[in-house]
Amino acid sequence: MKQQSEEATALARVAEAAREVQAASAALEQHFDETTGSPPSTLQLARFAAAMQELKEARESFDALLGKSSGPSV
């Protein structure tokens, strides 16, 4: 039961990170759609980079958890 809860928590983290990447990406797309001619702000780029990093870490954590729960391969 505890393992299932850990997996659900890890999966929720991946889903939340994916949503944040999507939101940050949409903000960058909106910036470019406005054709302002100016580059995105440092904050927008940092938000996107941080969201991508969190998604990467969340996925790695989830994958490690699944590997641990499945046990050794035969």
Side-chain angles (χ1 to χ4, degrees), residues 12-66:
R13 179 182 173 199
V14 169
E16 180 59 32
R19 282 190 289 272
E20 181 57 27
V21 167
Q22 186 177 22
S25 178
L28 285 173
E29 283 181 35
Q30 182 179 3
H31 176 83
F32 286 112
D33 286 346
E34 293 173 354
T35 62
T36 61
S38 63
S41 72
T42 302
L43 183 59
Q44 286 175 307
L45 294 172
R47 177 186 179 200
F48 182 72
M52 289 295 293
Q53 183 63 35
E54 171 58 15
L55 179 58
K56 177 181 179 272
E57 291 173 7
R59 288 189 57 163
E60 288 171 351
S61 177
F62 183 70
D63 289 346
L65 185 62
L66 288 182

